[in-house]
Amino acid sequence: MVIVVRFYGVLKELVREKLELNIRSSEVLFLDLVKEIIREYPALGNFIKVGEEGVEVRGVSVLVNGRHIMFLGGDKALIRDGDVIDVLPPLHGG
Amino acid sequence: MIILVCNSVIYSGQTILRVDLSNDKIEDEELPDFVVEKFVGGKGLATYLMYKEVKPGIDPFSPENKLYVFGGPLAFIYPTFTRTIMVSKSPLTGLYCDSNAGGSFSIELRRAGYVGIVIEGKSDKMKCLKITKEEKKLIECESLKGKTTYEVGDAFREYSVLTIGPAGENLVRFANIVIDMKKNPVTRPGVAGRGGLGAVMGSKNLKAIFLKGWLKPDELAKNVDKNLQKDLINRYLKILQEDVVPGIGVGGNLPVFRVSAEARILPVKNFQAGSHERWEDLADDAWGRITVNRITCPTCPLRCGVTVVENGSSTERIEYETVAMNGSNLMIISRKALAQINTTLNALGMDTITTGNIAAFLMELTERGLLKDYKISWGDLEGYLKLIHDIAYRKDLGNILAEGLARASKTLGAEEYAVHIKKLEIPAYDPRGVVGMALAYATADRGGDHLRAWTVAAELTSKLTLEDLVNLTKYLQDRNAALWSLVACDNIPGNSVRPPDEMIRIYIKMLNTLGFSYDEESFLKLGERIYNLSRLFNIREGVSRKDDSLPPRFHKPREDTGWIITKEDFEKMLDTYYSKRGWDSNGVPLKETLDKLGLLDII
Ligand code: SF4
C-alpha cells in the first residue's frame, strides 16, 4: 500500500515536502510507521521518535487525512492504503 | 441598583464610581469585602456586578445596559498591571463581553482611588466624563461629535483618555474603545477591540472619559509590607528580563505570524487556505526592519508597542491579528497598506479583526459572483479603505455590514460563508490544524475568541491527548479569567519563553500583600468562578450547546490541505469539556459545580 506523508516548515527542510511510502502490509500502526520513517530520516528523530512511552514528539502535530490523530487513537491509529499524513512543525522551529 | 453596605476594606480604593447619564448623577460606592474577596477586581468584579445588575433580554443599546470600565488592585503598586477591562452586554453578540486594553487609564483610575467606573443610562446630548482631584463631572462635548480617536486624544493630551471614534457614535456593532490614541504618543495606546463595546458608549452618548489621578503609590499600598513589596518587584522584573524580553521579539505579538504561517493555520482568503507564498513580507523580521519606535505602558519595562513607518505611512501598535486578518486574509501583502488600514480603523474606532473578517467575506462573495450591486476583489486596498469609511458612517452597503457579520450574512443570504461563532467573527487562527482552537473558540464566553484559551503554543510544542487538550482549554480559560481580575497583561505570560508558572505565583503573592489570602488552587478557582458566572449570564440570554458550535467552513476540508474538524470529533471534544467543567450535556453548570465555586448564594 502507499501512504503519503507531508512535512511543513523546518521539517520540510530535513526530509522533503512529501514522501510516498510503500508499505508491504495492508495497514500499519502509526507507531510502527514512525519507526519506519525515522529509520530512513534519522534527523527527524530530534522532533519525533519512538521511546518507552510510545511516540514522543518535540513539538510536531500529526493529522491523518486532515483529522488530528488524537481522534483516531493516537499511537495506535491504524494507517491504511491511500492515507495522507501531515506533520506540522514545532512552534520555535526546533 | 443594589445597595452595598460595607464595614471594612481589603484594599485601598475598592470603590467604584457610578455614573448615570440619564440624570447626570455621579456617586462613589464602596464595594463590600465579601464581593471583593470572591471577585478581586477587573473581570471578576465587573462580571459579578453585570450579572446582578443587567436584566436578561434587554437591548444592548438601551439605557438599561451598563458599561463596566475596570482596573485591578495591583495597578501602580506593582509594575505592568496596566490593562483596563471593559465589560458589557455586547451589541454584536447580545451576550456577555469583556475586552481589555493597555495604556495609562487603569493606573490613573487607581490613582483616583477607584477600581472601576459603572456607566449607566443615556444622555440626550454628547457628554464626556472628567475625573480629576478637583472635580468629577459630566460635561457637554457636542464639539467632539464625529471626531476621530486621535483627535480626541490630542484634545486632552495631558490626561489619560478613553474614547470612541465616529463608528461608536454611529452604533457600528463592532466599534471599539481606545485608550491614549494620539499623534506621537508617549505611552503605548490601547485598544479594546472586540464585541462592539464602543457602540455601547455611543448609545449612551458618552464620547470620552478623561482622567488624571493624584494618589501616590504609598497611598494605595498603605498596608503593604514595603520589604516584601520590593522583593516581589525585583523577582518579577528579573523574570520579565529573562523570560519575556526574549519572547517579545520585535514587540507585541507579531512573532506569531511566523508560527501561523509555518504551521499553515494563517487565515488566507476568508479561511479558504492556510498559507501564502509571500508570508515572509508580513513576518516579524519585516516589521522589525521598519520599526522606528517602541513605547510602553506606564510601569512596564517591556515596550511592546511598536511604531512602524513604511514609505511615509506610519502606525502605532500594529499586532498579529490585524496583520493576518487584513493582510493574508484579504491578500493585501503590503506593510504600507497594513499601516494605513490599522491607522484608519483605529482612528474611526472599529475592531480590526471583525472588519478584516467581514471584508474577506465580501471578497469571497464577489469572487463567487454572489453580490449583485457591489464588487470588491482580493487585494483591493482602495476598495477596502472606502468600505471601512462606508461602514463607519453607515453608508450604502456599509449600513448592512455595520450590523456585524452574522446579521449582514443573513441579510445577504450568504450565511454559509460567514466565519463567526455566537456572532463574534473568528480571529486569525484556522482551527483545522490546531484543533484546540476549535474548542477554545466555541466555548469562549464572549463568542469566537482566541484570548481566553490560546492553545496554539501548547499544541505545537507537546503531544496532547483529547483529555490533555480539554484540561488545557479549561485551565487557560480559568487562569486568564483570574489574571484579568488583577488586571494582568496578556502579552506577558503569552510571550514568556518558559511556562509562566513562577510569574503567576508571584502575582498571587503580590495580591496577598494587599490583604487577600489566595494560593495557586484558590486563584484558579477564582477564575473558574468567574468563568461559570459569565456562562450563567449567557445561559440566561438563551445560550446552550447548540451555540457552542463551529461555522460550517471548519467542518469542510480546507482547499489547500484537506484538513477538517469533523462534527463527530468536535462533539467528542465538547462532551469531554462539559464533563470536565461540571456542566450538563447541554452546557449548563450543575448545581454542585456552582456550590463548589461559591456561586449558589450569589445567583
Ligand atoms: S507588555 Fe505591552 S501592553 Fe503589556 S503592559 Fe507592557 S507595554 Fe503594556
Side-chain angles (χ1 to χ4, degrees), chain B residues 235 239 243 499-509:
Chain B
R235 281 164 65 189
I239 290 180
D243 295 356
D501 303 347
E502 180 56 18
M503 183 191 300
I504 290 167
R505 278 192 283 274
I506 289 184
Y507 288 178
I508 295 169
K509 289 197 175 101

Side-chain angles (χ1 to χ4, degrees), chain B residues 282-293:
Chain B
L282 301 183
D284 46 350
D285 293 354
W287 292 103
R289 286 194 293 274
I290 60 164
T291 296
V292 294
N293 196 11

Side-chain angles (χ1 to χ4, degrees), chain B residues 462-474:
Chain B
S462 47
K463 178 180 168 184
L464 299 175
T465 63
L466 177 61
E467 279 70 31
D468 294 335
L469 194 62
V470 164
N471 290 344
L472 175 73
T473 306
K474 176 182 179 294

Side-chain angles (χ1 to χ4, degrees), chain B residues 40 73-74 78 81 228 232 235-236 475 479 482-483 486 488 500-526:
Chain B
V40 178
L74 297 180
Y78 292 102
F81 296 92
L228 192 50
L232 288 170
R235 281 164 65 189
Y236 181 45
Y475 166 75
R479 187 197 81 181
L483 290 177
L486 301 181
D501 303 347
E502 180 56 18
M503 183 191 300
I504 290 167
R505 278 192 283 274
I506 289 184
Y507 288 178
I508 295 169
K509 289 197 175 101
M510 290 171 172
L511 205 51
N512 291 345
T513 62
L514 302 190
F516 289 95
S517 47
Y518 277 97
D519 57 21
E520 282 173 72
E521 200 186 323
S522 56
F523 188 67
L524 258 192
K525 198 167 161 187
L526 159 71

